[in-house]
Amino acid sequence: MAAAAVVAVPGTLGTLQAGRARLVAACCARLRPGWRLPGSLMGPRVAPAIWARGWAPAVGGSAPRRGYSSEVKTEDELRVRYLEEENRGIVVLGINRAYAKNSFSKNLIKMLSKAVDALKSDKKVRTIIVRSEVPGIFCAGADLKERVKMNPSEVGPFVSKIRAVINEIANLPVPTIAAIDGLALGGGLELALACDIRVAASSAKMGLVETKLAIIPGGGGTQRLPRAIGMSLAKELIFSARVLDGQEAKAVGLISHVLEQNQEGDAAYRKALDLAREFLPQGPVAMRVAKLAINQGMEVDLVTGLAIEEACYAQTIPTKDRLEGLLAFKEKRSPRYKGE
């Protein structure tokens, strides 16, 4: 009775412990036998909803041949490329709205949502790179020309759709890398913030500039930017609508790597590809549960976070991949993981 009474009293240690138990249980529910993660990775495979158009075959991980036109068909505004050979397992999402600076339109948001739905259910996907197919632009945020034509009643629901798609990208179960080779403003930077890792060219420009338009970031920027660089600096950048270049962004911790831009204009993408290749040899199950443990753990206190880590670690123990890793270590060879 005494213990029950303690749990029932709001604000007591018992309540905190019960809350932790519920959170860990919720995490474990995603990781019960079969290691179902967000997106139900073990569910039936969904064929990719969108396939690349107009790509040159990948050779040694080189950048694809790109063509630019002021008249881009709507189905070409997002290109999804499944790399092959030594890059098998890497998927590239390429935004291709040159005439609108890759801004978020209703069509582009719809295509992103379909692509993410396919990717989160595909066990063969190991890493996803988000990039631009347009020189000098990553994403300029919302399509304001389209926005100005909307009724006020349409704006809120559309912003909610943008936020939902960006959240879906943040919740993808595999590592995601944003390759920022150009302008990333407003929703464009919010898209990058939803990725696990951000790399940028030194010439890139990025910022949450919504206050200039008398609005605020609506795609997660007010939440993810403080988590990335700290509350005080995030407030300063949002209040001032300041735009940073790659070097400044690296200095404040907004991006992980900054590179001098190359003649092809894809230095950040090439670095992202190098990082993705580093991830490929690792155990797929371990990569997924490591991401989940980090993401969930960063939102709670240390004790609860450690419990989440324990629950996630437990899911790697019965896997065939773990046994393969031990055998490969014993035999002094590279492991051959299958994600099982």
Side-chain angles (χ1 to χ4, degrees), residues 7 72 77 159 200 212:
V7 173
V72 178
E77 291 183 347
V159 173
K212 283 187 175 181

mmCIF file of all heavy atoms in Angstrom, residues 7 72 77 159 200 212:
data_model
loop_
_atom_site.group_PDB
_atom_site.id
_atom_site.type_symbol
_atom_site.label_atom_id
_atom_site.label_comp_id
_atom_site.label_asym_id
_atom_site.label_seq_id
_atom_site.Cartn_x
_atom_site.Cartn_y
_atom_site.Cartn_z
ATOM 1 N N VAL A 7 3.548 6.063 -5.605
ATOM 2 C CA VAL A 7 3.404 6.207 -7.051
ATOM 3 C C VAL A 7 2.255 7.130 -7.396
ATOM 4 O O VAL A 7 2.286 7.856 -8.372
ATOM 5 C CB VAL A 7 3.199 4.820 -7.709
ATOM 6 C CG1 VAL A 7 2.879 4.965 -9.184
ATOM 7 C CG2 VAL A 7 4.451 3.972 -7.525
ATOM 8 N N VAL A 72 10.725 22.050 -65.946
ATOM 9 C CA VAL A 72 10.880 20.737 -65.335
ATOM 10 C C VAL A 72 9.507 20.127 -65.105
ATOM 11 O O VAL A 72 8.627 20.765 -64.552
ATOM 12 C CB VAL A 72 11.630 20.851 -63.986
ATOM 13 C CG1 VAL A 72 11.741 19.480 -63.326
ATOM 14 C CG2 VAL A 72 13.009 21.437 -64.206
ATOM 15 N N GLU A 77 10.592 16.629 -60.211
ATOM 16 C CA GLU A 77 10.994 17.571 -59.167
ATOM 17 C C GLU A 77 11.680 16.895 -57.986
ATOM 18 O O GLU A 77 12.374 17.551 -57.224
ATOM 19 C CB GLU A 77 9.772 18.366 -58.693
ATOM 20 C CG GLU A 77 9.266 19.329 -59.741
ATOM 21 C CD GLU A 77 8.110 20.178 -59.256
ATOM 22 O OE1 GLU A 77 7.537 19.870 -58.194
ATOM 23 O OE2 GLU A 77 7.781 21.166 -59.946
ATOM 24 N N VAL A 159 1.302 24.136 -44.140
ATOM 25 C CA VAL A 159 2.494 24.157 -43.282
ATOM 26 C C VAL A 159 2.537 22.891 -42.427
ATOM 27 O O VAL A 159 3.612 22.321 -42.187
ATOM 28 C CB VAL A 159 2.521 25.416 -42.401
ATOM 29 C CG1 VAL A 159 3.668 25.352 -41.392
ATOM 30 C CG2 VAL A 159 2.657 26.666 -43.266
ATOM 31 N N ALA A 200 28.354 20.848 -45.546
ATOM 32 C CA ALA A 200 28.078 21.987 -46.414
ATOM 33 C C ALA A 200 29.345 22.502 -47.068
ATOM 34 O O ALA A 200 30.454 22.357 -46.535
ATOM 35 C CB ALA A 200 27.417 23.114 -45.623
ATOM 36 N N LYS A 212 11.551 37.653 -40.996
ATOM 37 C CA LYS A 212 11.527 38.739 -41.982
ATOM 38 C C LYS A 212 10.166 38.852 -42.653
ATOM 39 O O LYS A 212 9.791 39.917 -43.157
ATOM 40 C CB LYS A 212 12.595 38.506 -43.049
ATOM 41 C CG LYS A 212 14.008 38.839 -42.612
ATOM 42 C CD LYS A 212 14.957 38.749 -43.785
ATOM 43 C CE LYS A 212 16.355 39.188 -43.383
ATOM 44 N NZ LYS A 212 17.309 39.140 -44.521
#
